[in-house]
């Protein structure tokens, strides 16, 4: 039996793709972590918005920029959770701030990690730990369901285990949920558990491990219009204020929402109608 198991194990090793080594981190400013096989895929062109065009989030912008700049200079910095309203620029802010810090002369790298790949984060950290570069590890739209065990892997990033989080890695995550899990799920576990206070403690306390909590809230109508005007000025789309206001308000009414994402979607439609390439 032992010989059979050994042959099976050897066959599986031959089938499984071997992990690739660390890439040349000088060839790109951003990478995406992929598994099967493990590798860091360079990103040649990052989809992002200029920091100056992200309006209505001044406090979060300034706080995250200062934190990231500290980290890039080799100073202490906190992991950050950006949570709140959909479409208000959480992920855009992370990408824009990394670009801003690079423009300040710091060789900061952005590494994107998918929530589904959190189980492999220990292997990723080992690759990053061996480099002399500094990395912002970014997970977009992070949340957990009732039976989701990925949150245990996330603790390796936030707490670091025995080895500790690498000094050259900082973790930023975005989520629509402050505690990374639905409110009704929290209430259900509390109401059905023998010890309600302990029932959700492990999952809810995960968000407490982020040193920075940055809240994002729906924008005002003036901020919404200012976002669109900023996009128009940046890309050379000409439109008078009265027409812009009327069209933009009608656009938000048809979407039933007002946010930075809706502002950008209206602007894309406007640029297309005006024949302007983006």
């Amino acid at each position: 039996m032992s010989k059979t198991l050994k042959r099976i194990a050897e066959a599986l090793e031959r089938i499984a793709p071997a992990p690739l080594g660390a890439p040349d981190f000088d060839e790109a400013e951003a990478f995406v972590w992929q598994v099967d096989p493990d590798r860091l895929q360079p990103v040649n062109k990052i989809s992002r918005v200029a920091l100056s065009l992200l309006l209505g989030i001044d406090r979060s912008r300034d706080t995250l920029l200062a934190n990231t700049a500290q980290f890039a200079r080799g100073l202490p910095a906190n992991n950050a959770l950006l949570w709140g309203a959909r479409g208000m620029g959480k992920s855009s802010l992370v990408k824009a701030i990394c670009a801003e810090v690079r423009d300040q002369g710091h060789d900061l790298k952005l590494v994107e990690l998918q929530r589904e790949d959190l189980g492999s984060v220990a292997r990723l950290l080992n690759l990053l730990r061996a480099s002399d570069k500094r990395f912002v590890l970014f997970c977009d739209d992070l949340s957990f369901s009732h039976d989701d065990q990925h949150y245990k892997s996330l603790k390796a990033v936030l707490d670091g285990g025995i080895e500790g989080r690498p000094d050259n890695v900082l973790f930023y995550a975005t989520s629509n949920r402050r505690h990374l899990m639905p409110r009704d799920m929290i209430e259900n576990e509390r109401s059905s558990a023998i010890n309600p206070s302990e029932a959700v403690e492990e999952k809810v306390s995960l968000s407490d491990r982020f040193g920075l909590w940055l809240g994002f809230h729906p924008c005002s109508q003036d901020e919404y219009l200012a976002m669109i005007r900023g996009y128009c000025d940046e890309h050379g789309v000409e439109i008078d204020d009265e027409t812009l206001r009327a069209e933009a308000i009608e656009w938000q009414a048809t979407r039933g929402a007002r946010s930075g994402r809706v502002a950008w979607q209206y602007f894309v439609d406007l640029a297309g109608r005006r024949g302007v390439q983006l």
Side-chain angles (χ1 to χ4, degrees):
M1 179 63 72
S2 60
K3 292 182 179 180
T4 301
L5 292 175
K6 183 178 180 180
R7 288 199 300 270
I8 293 174
E10 290 174 347
L12 290 174
E13 287 180 0
R14 290 193 296 270
I15 295 172
L20 303 181
D24 179 1
F25 287 115
D26 289 325
E27 68 176 300
E29 62 183 86
F31 299 83
V32 175
W33 174 245
Q34 307 279 3
V35 296
D36 297 328
D38 291 350
R39 64 197 185 280
L40 282 163
Q41 185 71 37
V43 178
N44 297 321
K45 184 178 180 180
I46 302 174
S47 174
R48 61 186 172 210
V49 177
L51 188 61
S52 61
L53 297 178
L54 297 176
L55 305 179
I57 53 174
D58 295 3
R59 181 180 177 277
S60 295
R61 177 200 63 205
D62 294 346
T63 302
L64 194 65
L65 179 57
N67 190 69
T68 309
Q70 287 173 199
F71 171 71
R73 295 197 303 269
L75 298 172
N78 276 304
N79 299 315
L81 174 63
L82 290 67
W83 68 276
R86 303 189 312 273
M88 277 306 297
K90 296 185 292 294
S91 60
S92 295
L93 182 61
V94 172
K95 292 182 286 186
I97 278 181
C98 286
E100 178 71 17
V101 171
R102 285 184 60 84
D103 289 344
Q104 294 175 3
H106 303 289
D107 190 15
L108 183 67
K109 305 295 183 180
L110 180 65
V111 176
E112 184 174 22
L113 169 69
Q114 302 297 326
R115 191 199 72 84
E116 293 77 12
D117 295 328
L118 278 171
S120 66
V121 72
R123 304 195 300 272
L124 171 57
L125 291 179
N126 285 335
L127 276 179
L128 301 182
R129 190 192 306 272
S131 173
D132 59 355
K133 306 293 185 182
R134 300 188 76 76
F135 302 93
V136 169
L137 183 55
F138 172 50
C139 187
D140 194 20
D141 198 19
L142 182 63
S143 62
F144 301 101
S145 59
H146 173 73
D147 57 350
D148 196 335
Q149 298 299 309
H150 282 104
Y151 73 94
K152 294 182 178 179
S153 299
L154 182 55
K155 290 181 179 180
V157 184
L158 300 177
D159 290 340
I162 295 176
E163 289 185 290
R165 174 170 58 84
D167 292 336
N168 63 333
V169 177
L170 195 63
F171 185 67
Y172 288 169
T174 69
S175 179
N176 294 333
R177 304 162 180 169
R178 183 176 181 180
H179 290 298
L180 304 176
M181 58 189 297
R183 182 180 297 275
D184 60 344
M185 188 179 299
I186 295 174
E187 297 304 325
N188 286 342
E189 289 203 21
R190 281 177 176 159
S191 63
S192 60
I194 296 175
N195 190 328
S197 64
E198 294 180 357
V200 295
E201 180 67 22
E202 188 174 24
K203 289 182 180 177
V204 172
S205 66
L206 183 63
S207 60
D208 293 338
R209 290 175 164 83
F210 289 89
L212 289 179
W213 280 8
L214 302 176
F216 289 70
H217 309 287
C219 61
S220 67
Q221 184 167 284
D222 287 344
E223 289 170 336
Y224 168 72
L225 295 172
M227 292 173 189
I228 299 171
R229 174 53 69 189
Y231 293 141
C232 290
D233 294 344
E234 177 74 12
H235 295 280
V237 176
E238 297 183 0
I239 182 173
D240 63 88
D241 289 340
E242 184 176 349
T243 303
L244 185 151
R245 181 182 181 86
E247 289 188 1
I249 291 176
E250 181 181 2
W251 183 276
Q252 79 170 51
T254 61
R255 295 299 305 272
R258 183 172 59 222
S259 68
R261 180 178 295 136
V262 173
W264 174 256
Q265 290 167 344
Y266 164 72
F267 171 71
V268 169
D269 177 76
L270 174 64
R273 288 187 281 115
R274 297 297 171 100
V276 176
Q277 294 283 349
L278 301 180

